Amino acid sequence: DNSITYCCCTGRRGNGTMMNIIYAGYVALEATHNIIIKEKPALKCRFSNRFLSLTDEMTGREMLTRDSIIEVIKKSCFDVNDECIVEISDTGIFGTLWEMAERFDTGLSIDLNKISIRQETVEICEWADVNPYTYPSKGSFIIRTENAYELSDILASNGIMSSVIGYETNDKKRIIVNQDEIRYLTPIDRLLNDEKGHNNLRY
């Protein structure tokens, strides 16, 4: 099932209020696991058995569930509704951000350096020549909320890796900021049709 699950959280988008965006979890842990499982013999030429074993154990340990996030939010002062938590889909965080922006008819400004990624994932994805930001990333979530920093602190205090990565905008531009560089999010149909997108989906 490749559908995006919409659930949870706090606040309403009344009176034109723009939401902030939290990213909970680490990018492309699912990718890291899939590559290790399918490419282990070849990976052993580059990485030690211990590195591969510990990295694969880490992917299972760090992947989040919807229920674990909802449980923390319910214990906090936040209300729960059905529209504010989005699990990352098979098109990765970039594709999921695009789909979320389409659903809520909004622009986005996202700071790439705020999106948490493990060094092990960087190394594995570089070896496989895939982009972790457009890679299947089950077990991590986007959260839309007006109270992003407060909620991010609550998640962190409960052992859930999270950071405020950006915010919605009125101008409908969907941009990724990487220090002084700005790029635009790619629509999902183009993302899936380009060569890198196909390369990602082979795993």
Side-chain angles (χ1 to χ4, degrees):
D1 181 1
N2 293 335
S3 62
I4 293 178
T5 300
Y6 293 90
C7 34
C8 151
C9 82
T10 175
R12 296 178 181 175
R13 197 183 167 192
N15 301 319
T17 301
M18 294 287 99
M19 298 290 195
N20 292 317
I21 308 296
I22 294 172
Y23 185 72
Y26 292 97
V27 164
L29 291 181
E30 181 185 10
T32 308
H33 170 74
N34 290 346
I35 295 170
I36 289 174
I37 293 300
K38 294 185 178 183
E39 305 286 354
K40 197 164 188 177
L43 282 165
K44 286 181 178 179
C45 297
R46 169 81 177 271
F47 303 101
S48 69
N49 284 331
R50 177 175 173 77
F51 173 85
L52 295 174
S53 296
L54 291 177
T55 298
D56 203 27
E57 289 175 11
M58 174 271 296
T59 65
R61 185 175 63 251
E62 298 290 353
M63 287 177 69
L64 304 174
T65 65
R66 173 182 179 272
D67 288 345
S68 66
I69 294 176
I70 295 296
E71 182 180 0
V72 171
I73 293 173
K74 282 184 175 180
K75 289 178 180 178
S76 72
C77 61
F78 294 91
D79 295 327
V80 176
N81 59 50
D82 292 330
E83 292 190 329
C84 296
I85 295 181
V86 182
E87 185 165 18
I88 304 303
S89 73
D90 283 352
T91 54
I93 185 171
F94 284 175
T96 304
L97 284 166
W98 177 271
E99 192 163 358
M100 183 195 72
E102 286 286 286
R103 177 182 173 88
F104 294 103
D105 190 28
T106 184
L108 291 171
S109 178
I110 302 296
D111 186 342
L112 183 69
N113 295 302
K114 299 292 186 183
I115 300 173
S116 300
I117 183 168
R118 297 288 300 243
Q119 181 60 32
E120 297 93 334
T121 293
V122 172
E123 294 183 30
I124 294 290
C125 288
E126 282 183 353
W127 178 90
D129 191 29
V130 295
N131 181 350
Y133 300 99
T134 58
Y135 201 107
S137 199
K138 181 180 178 181
S140 60
F141 295 81
I142 294 167
I143 305 174
R144 303 171 64 247
T145 174
E146 297 175 16
N147 305 296
Y149 291 96
E150 182 181 355
L151 180 55
S152 182
D153 287 344
I154 290 170
L155 292 169
S157 68
N158 283 271
I160 295 176
M161 179 64 197
S162 67
S163 57
V164 181
I165 63 171
Y167 51 89
E168 296 178 350
T169 64
N170 283 312
D171 61 12
K172 304 301 173 63
K173 293 179 181 179
R174 294 152 187 180
I175 64 172
I176 302 293
V177 180
N178 183 10
Q179 296 180 344
D180 295 330
E181 179 184 356
I182 294 177
R183 60 166 290 183
Y184 289 87
L185 282 174
T186 303
I188 287 181
D189 56 346
R190 286 170 50 196
L191 184 65
L192 294 178
N193 287 330
D194 70 18
E195 182 179 353
K196 182 67 75 173
H198 284 302
N199 195 28
N200 283 355
L201 292 176
R202 69 190 169 95
Y203 291 110

